[in-house]
Amino acid sequence: MSSPEHKQKIWEMIKDIKVGMLVTLDDDVPRARPMHLVQDAYDGTIWFYTRRSAEKVTETDRDQDVCLTFSDQDEGVYVSLSGKAQLTNNQALIDKYWNPFIAAWFPEGKEDPEVALLEIKVEMGEHWMSTESKAFQLYEFAKANITHTKPNIGENEKFGG
């Protein structure tokens, strides 16, 4: 797991990206789909709204292992989070995270029996962050090719697991 400071760092990296790709296993085939962040902080758990009848729910019932990826190429931020998924119908949480964006996907409202939350408990992850300009990154790639070394284009850190 990661420290509260590291969780805050991860949140700072993903909060403005808003949409992550959720990867589940459809039988033995990885399947990804975009999911929208709804929370305003990260404590090791990510929440997404879903329909109970969605295929991702069936997939996570069979295999709780999931991966979430977030990327912002313009900012040089890439995050991969792996953990366990489970469905919840906790009405207090549904009420807490409900917003106009989510309401557009659920025209019957938050009391619709199809409305649920997918809870992702993050167990491990990795992030990459480049603080250098694109020109510097290109220079590093060219230098690495000439010197047969790896380019130094920013921070990379694994956590958990």
Side-chain angles (χ1 to χ4, degrees):
M1 291 302 163
S2 60
S3 69
E5 294 79 18
H6 188 259
K7 289 174 183 165
Q8 182 60 33
K9 179 178 186 174
I10 294 296
W11 181 246
E12 290 300 320
M13 294 173 84
I14 68 173
K15 72 178 182 177
D16 293 330
I17 297 172
K18 292 287 185 211
V19 176
M21 294 298 290
L22 173 66
V23 181
T24 60
L25 284 177
D26 185 0
D27 291 321
D28 289 332
V29 179
R31 182 172 177 207
R33 78 267 292 152
M35 301 294 288
H36 195 277
L37 288 173
V38 296
Q39 62 211 71
D40 55 9
Y42 169 69
D43 64 359
T45 302
I46 300 285
W47 300 95
F48 296 120
Y49 280 89
T50 187
R51 293 190 177 284
R52 288 183 179 290
S53 59
E55 290 173 328
K56 66 185 153 295
V57 173
T58 304
E59 293 160 5
T60 58
D61 280 347
R62 282 194 304 256
D63 187 337
Q64 289 187 309
D65 291 322
V66 298
C67 180
L68 289 168
T69 63
F70 295 87
S71 69
D72 182 341
Q73 189 172 6
D74 291 339
E75 296 295 322
V77 173
Y78 305 91
V79 179
S80 175
L81 305 171
S82 297
K84 303 280 186 198
Q86 74 175 28
L87 192 71
T88 181
N89 62 353
N90 181 319
Q91 193 62 47
L93 288 172
I94 291 170
D95 292 344
K96 177 180 179 179
Y97 295 125
W98 192 260
N99 63 57
F101 177 82
I102 298 303
W105 290 97
F106 296 96
E108 302 298 317
K110 58 186 169 183
E111 289 76 24
D112 182 341
E114 273 289 296
V115 174
L117 286 167
L118 196 59
E119 174 185 23
I120 314 294
K121 292 216 175 270
V122 174
E123 297 175 336
M124 57 190 272
E126 187 169 7
H127 71 267
W128 300 260
M129 186 168 43
S130 176
T131 56
E132 304 297 340
S133 69
K134 298 292 182 214
F136 180 83
Q137 291 176 39
L138 289 173
Y139 164 77
E140 281 292 316
F141 289 129
K143 181 177 88 173
N145 282 324
I146 292 168
T147 61
H148 304 289
T149 60
K150 287 186 178 180
N152 180 8
I153 58 170
E155 176 183 325
N156 171 238
E157 180 181 7
K158 291 182 181 181
F159 65 92

